[in-house]
Amino acid sequence: MKVAVVGCGQIADAHIQEVRRIPGAVVEAVCDSNPHMAEQAAERFEVPQRYTDVDRMLTDVRPEVVHITTPPESHLALGRLAISHGAHAYIEKPFTATVAEAEELVAAATRAGVLVCAGHSNAFDPAYLRLRALCDEGVLGDVVHVDAAMGYSLTGPFGSAMMSDPAHWVHRLPGGLTHNNIPHPVSLLLPFLPGERPRVVARGQRLRPERYGDVRDRFMDELRVMLFSGSSSASLVFSCRTRPIQLYAAVSGTRAQAIASIDGRTVQIVRGASMPGPFAKVQWTHQAYRQSRGEFYGSVKRLLRADLHFFGGMHELIRRLYLAIEGKGEMPVPMAEALRTTRVIEDIVSQCRLAEEEA
Amino acid sequence: MGTGLTLVTGATGFLGRRVITRLRELNQPFRAVMRPGARLTSELNEQLTGRDSRGELAECSLNDQAGLDRVLDGVDVVLHLAASKSGSAPAQIANTVVTSENLFQSAVRAGTPRVVLVSSFGVIGAGQVPTGGLLDESVPMEPHPEWRDPYSFAKHKQESLAWRYSRDHGLRLVVLRPGSIFGPGQNILTSRIGVNLFGLFLHLGRGATLPLTYVQNCADAIVQAGTAPDAEGEVFCIVDDDLPTSRQLLRRYRREIARIPFVPVPSVALQQLAVLNAWYSRRTGNHLPPVFTPYKVSNMWRGLRFSNEKAKRVLKWTPRVPMADALRITFEAERHVGQAG
């Protein structure tokens, strides 16, 4: 598989590393509008060719798949360009800045007969895939409700970069920081919800003190969302205050509950107790103890097998996408699902902005 | 031209604050560049607004080309200190190299004031010097910066770019390569001494001499480089006199600050550890990052000698705070922090 990466910022490192772990896949070229960014990626990862002009790269290299890791406002234009050269595309989240752009991109891919995959990589994290399997196998019964929560640090590597620069692209997204991050929890929730477009109730807040007197004081840093669809519901919490920083999804079913921690890469099932009175509490903790012990040994085994890569979900998504391109598997994130996620995100952002304006 | 106005980038940083102090001491007019929204320290505020201050503040992002053109107006000397010190390689390239190019372009447009670039020891190809050899300005730059840490990589790219602007666009360039800059507010146990691994300090430097420079001495050298005749087109290594060894510093730290558990790692073991770490990282697709590589080991933790002779001769610089005093001040400050904590 001949691969090219467009956009050589921080997340491009993860893409290049994960592509390199896939047998038969080679990153042939990197491209960035800034020559220094393209150069650093090419030198550090020994990528043979580097460009500052995407069109020229696509013409010269003719990649089978292009990873677009640029700011979201450029996804539509770059995606269309890749498609026009007959290339498939992996597009980092958020898929696009608006639903209209997403629809245009998917329509262009459909017309050209190529695949465009949204980078919902956490939905392919091993822990989350185990959670999905538990549901598919009926262990949890019918899904009643799903929770997803994401913590975020404004002083982390990305947070501090964004906070130090009022011209950072995150501030240009309609929903700012939350817009850039909620594709992760939304992509964990939606597979459990039926229907094309769940009903959204969303409220965003800015709870940090004002400091800059510019756009950096305006974006939401706390978000609460409820989603309703058929007999199922979901909730989403995005918070810049909760600690530890982690992303998790919890499913409450008619038989049992389960929680998958993406950061811990663990799954815990809660089945309840069958013993009477105070013995139930002992049985409950014994269950938790046994599961924790199992998860611990599992983690140690994966550590020894060198199978705890930070971007394990991205690796699995890329692997499945490449198989789909070769006609050996299903599209991991169907384009309709990318559209559905973008619509829900737009609904969330619109509601929050509306509430803000009313306030 | 001829106003003597000095522009300082990175003015709010650990080193930048001392550069401002020195300019104020010398009664030189200066313009301190601060990122929009960055916190103005009380110290810098005092330097700018204090009696007889000839300083002024300019809020400008180094990504703002038009803004840079404005702040460079009427400037004779640029002291370019701003650089990213942590984060991923792409982030450091973006915040150190891309921004520097913006500055160099504006400097060229402004009629090329003298630009003093504060580079780093990390750009020097120390691996080319035999153990016990002299590391000075004659040693070529690192041939494989991409094999070093992100900071050294970005600084190497930054300095290379500066030389390209000097060659191709007539940028009047002076390059300073400070060793490890230390002083109150900076942890004295740098990676040149060792690394903390799960609460255990691996002492990697052993008996190697440390290329240290006290923050105020380094600031003096930077200011001197702005005006010293015969400095343009030259590189200067900035280290203080009477350099301690890694072992001496660790002993003192354990005696005066905290008795941290440590393990001295013999150089043979360090080499083997580096080979193993690099092999494992490569084989497992970066499952563990290559903290140690044979290349880093040969560059970072070997016994070398250092010279500041050229800086003294051409810049007329002398480290005015003796090493013994500089270490005493730094350790006292560290003790205060420890007690406050």
Side-chain angles (χ1 to χ4, degrees), chain A residues 8-10 13 17-18 21 34-37 39-40 43-44 46 164-166 211-212 214 216 302-304 306-309, chain B residues 35-39 61 63 88-91 93-95 97-98 101 145-147 153 157 161 164 280 284-288:
Chain A
C8 296
Q10 298 197 55
D13 276 18
Q17 278 177 354
E18 295 312 324
R21 289 176 55 214
N34 186 290
H36 301 297
M37 298 305 290
E39 181 187 74
Q40 60 86 20
E43 285 185 3
R44 289 167 47 242
E46 297 172 338
S164 67
D165 183 8
R211 178 182 153 189
Y212 301 99
D214 58 33
R216 289 171 289 180
R302 286 192 288 276
L303 177 69
L304 296 175
D307 187 22
L308 285 174
H309 291 83
Chain B
R35 216 173 33 217
R39 284 190 198 281
S61 162
N63 286 312
S88 65
I93 291 288
N95 293 324
V97 184
V98 176
E101 178 147 45
E146 70 278 11
W147 294 353
F153 178 61
K157 291 285 174 198
L161 181 71
R164 184 153 66 76
Y280 180 83
T284 61
N286 211 31
H287 193 245
L288 288 180

Side-chain angles (χ1 to χ4, degrees), chain B:
Chain B
M1 280 300 191
T3 58
L5 180 62
T6 298
L7 184 86
V8 184
T9 71
T12 58
F14 175 64
L15 180 58
R17 296 197 302 270
R18 271 67 172 206
V19 167
I20 297 293
T21 304
R22 183 59 178 161
L23 288 167
R24 179 89 193 277
E25 283 171 5
L26 296 171
N27 199 30
Q28 285 188 25
F30 65 89
R31 186 176 289 159
V33 179
M34 193 176 87
R35 216 173 33 217
R39 284 190 198 281
L40 185 62
T41 61
S42 54
E43 187 186 342
L44 183 58
N45 192 38
E46 202 282 322
Q47 302 287 0
L48 291 164
T49 59
R51 253 182 87 221
D52 303 328
S53 172
R54 300 180 70 195
E56 62 186 52
L57 183 70
E59 278 199 51
C60 179
S61 162
L62 297 189
N63 286 312
D64 177 2
Q65 194 78 68
L68 283 172
D69 285 347
R70 279 194 299 278
V71 298
L72 271 157
D73 186 41
V75 165
D76 277 348
V77 176
V78 177
L79 305 180
H80 183 31
L81 283 70
S84 178
K85 296 209 168 41
S86 60
S88 65
Q92 295 206 40
I93 291 288
N95 293 324
T96 298
V97 184
V98 176
T99 50
S100 290
E101 178 147 45
N102 294 337
L103 181 74
F104 299 154
Q105 284 176 355
S106 288
V108 169
R109 272 197 292 275
T112 63
R114 176 183 285 192
V115 174
V116 177
L117 173 68
V118 179
S119 184
S120 165
F121 247 54
V123 309
I124 306 172
Q128 301 163 78
V129 181
T131 302
L134 179 68
L135 191 137
D136 63 8
E137 294 83 356
S138 65
V139 178
M141 285 176 76
E142 180 69 73
H144 289 289
E146 70 278 11
W147 294 353
R148 292 283 301 267
D149 55 288
Y151 176 73
S152 300
F153 178 61
K155 291 301 281 184
H156 189 287
K157 291 285 174 198
Q158 181 196 38
E159 190 183 317
S160 302
L161 181 71
W163 286 119
R164 184 153 66 76
Y165 267 80
S166 171
R167 195 176 57 243
D168 299 345
H169 303 283
L171 191 74
R172 294 166 51 213
L173 181 67
V174 182
V175 171
L176 263 57
R177 293 175 183 160
S180 291
I181 303 168
F182 74 100
Q186 198 89 329
N187 187 0
I188 189 87
L189 285 189
T190 66
S191 58
R192 281 197 178 268
I193 299 175
V195 293
N196 201 319
L197 197 68
F198 308 123
L200 183 66
F201 191 78
L202 302 182
H203 183 210
L204 309 173
R206 309 265 293 166
T209 300
L210 293 169
L212 297 182
T213 177
Y214 183 57
V215 63
Q216 192 60 64
N217 293 336
C218 185
D220 290 355
I222 292 166
V223 173
Q224 287 290 107
T227 52
D230 307 322
E232 283 177 23
E234 297 291 336
V235 178
F236 300 94
C237 289
I238 304 299
V239 289
D240 287 3
D241 296 326
D242 306 319
L243 298 171
T245 65
S246 177
R247 186 176 290 129
Q248 286 168 340
L249 219 57
L250 179 60
R251 268 191 198 144
R252 184 166 177 177
Y253 186 91
R254 295 187 76 242
R255 196 173 58 238
E256 296 185 23
I257 308 296
R259 291 196 66 78
I260 53 167
F262 80 103
V263 176
V265 183
S267 53
V268 176
L270 184 57
Q271 278 291 351
Q272 294 304 314
L273 186 67
V275 169
L276 186 68
N277 187 190
W279 170 82
Y280 180 83
S281 184
R282 199 169 47 248
R283 186 175 167 79
T284 61
N286 211 31
H287 193 245
L288 288 180
V291 180
F292 307 108
T293 64
Y295 198 73
K296 271 191 209 173
V297 167
S298 71
N299 276 273
M300 285 277 284
W301 297 295
R302 277 187 315 123
L304 298 170
R305 291 178 294 120
F306 307 99
S307 168
N308 56 16
E309 187 276 328
K310 185 178 174 185
K312 285 179 170 174
R313 178 167 45 83
V314 180
L315 301 180
K316 311 295 182 207
W317 166 73
T318 48
R320 66 182 157 130
V321 183
M323 180 56 72
D325 291 348
L327 286 174
R328 180 180 48 74
I329 295 165
T330 305
F331 274 96
E332 275 176 10
E334 190 109 6
R335 261 201 306 278
H336 281 302
V337 171
Q339 283 161 4

Side-chain angles (χ1 to χ4, degrees), chain A residues 123-206:
Chain A
F124 294 85
D125 183 90
Y128 182 75
L129 292 177
R130 284 169 64 199
L131 182 70
R132 291 284 304 272
L134 287 171
C135 289
D136 293 345
E137 290 158 10
V139 175
L140 307 181
D142 295 332
V143 174
V144 177
H145 182 81
V146 197
D147 296 299
M150 181 179 186
Y152 192 82
S153 170
L154 293 174
T155 55
F158 190 87
S160 54
M162 175 202 73
M163 293 304 283
S164 67
D165 183 8
H168 195 282
W169 58 263
V170 159
H171 303 301
R172 293 195 296 272
L173 280 171
L177 175 75
T178 43
H179 198 154
N180 188 41
N181 284 287
I182 59 171
H184 288 309
V186 170
S187 68
L188 302 186
L189 293 174
L190 288 188
F192 295 104
L193 291 180
E196 177 57 28
R197 196 161 187 170
R199 188 161 64 84
V200 173
V201 179
R203 284 293 175 274
Q205 283 180 287
R206 180 191 55 78

